[in-house]
Amino acid sequence: MKILLTYTSMTGRNEKIAKYLADYLKEKQAEVDLKQIIETDAFEMDQYDAIIVETYTYHDGDVPDEAEDFYDDLKDVDLSRTKFAVLGSSSKGHIHFGRAVDYFTMALNSANGEQVADSVKIDQDPDDDDFKRVRELGDRVLKSGEKFD
């Protein structure tokens, strides 16, 4: 299974989570392309069996500045038959906790993607329970690809 794991990280939290998830998926024999969102071309996502987007939520519940072009491009792509999942770190101290995760989930659904795992929102630095949820998300993505074998 070929998976794109694209992320954006301001504090390093999401980068840490993305690398953890990429390593986990590779241990399970998946082929993983790990890229920052700013380096990801939304129009090339149909080359993958599954897409995982990881983002933080900026300011008043906004998509991060460096992810805006990618996010906007999702309006013009057709992800039919493409599996996806979304996760991200945010702070429960903000009224808009994880809202960018919700925005990406809606945008990928609107692009005809098939959501294969519930979105995962992590409050600041991940703990053992959060890493368990990240692995579960990864397992759901991998399970969705079993029909590709």
Side-chain angles (χ1 to χ4, degrees):
M1 182 171 201
K2 188 173 180 181
I3 300 170
L4 170 65
L5 174 47
T6 187
Y7 71 95
T8 185
S9 186
M10 178 185 282
T11 63
R13 275 187 206 119
N14 279 320
E15 181 177 17
K16 175 182 177 181
I17 297 165
K19 288 180 178 179
Y20 175 87
L21 180 55
D23 288 344
Y24 178 76
L25 293 168
K26 288 175 186 176
E27 287 174 15
K28 301 285 186 174
Q29 308 307 314
E31 181 183 338
V32 180
D33 285 346
L34 179 64
K35 296 181 179 183
Q36 291 188 18
I37 283 180
I38 200 164
E39 299 169 346
T40 303
D41 185 342
F43 296 98
E44 294 178 357
M45 291 192 310
D46 61 354
Q47 299 172 16
Y48 297 90
D49 300 315
I51 309 297
I52 301 173
V53 175
E54 184 179 359
T55 185
Y56 64 91
T57 299
Y58 187 67
H59 196 44
D60 287 329
D62 301 325
V63 169
D65 290 344
E66 66 271 25
E68 283 183 2
D69 288 341
F70 175 79
Y71 178 79
D72 289 342
D73 285 345
L74 292 177
K75 296 173 187 149
D76 298 318
V77 298
D78 183 6
L79 297 178
S80 297
R81 299 180 16 218
T82 303
K83 317 296 184 197
F84 79 87
V86 183
L87 72 158
S89 174
S90 188
S91 172
K92 285 187 176 178
H94 295 273
I95 191 170
H96 305 292
F97 173 66
R99 186 164 290 167
V101 170
D102 298 334
Y103 288 149
F104 271 105
T105 301
M106 289 185 287
L108 290 160
N109 271 305
S110 293
N112 298 314
E114 180 183 338
Q115 186 172 358
V116 297
D118 290 338
S119 298
V120 172
K121 297 178 185 179
I122 297 168
D123 184 24
Q124 300 188 47
D125 290 311
D127 61 20
D128 289 343
D129 287 338
D130 293 322
F131 281 122
K132 179 182 179 198
R133 293 187 307 133
V134 169
R135 289 190 306 272
E136 288 170 351
L137 178 143
D139 288 339
R140 295 291 302 237
V141 171
L142 292 169
K143 185 170 178 51
S144 76
E146 288 177 357
K147 61 181 111 179
F148 291 109
D149 292 342

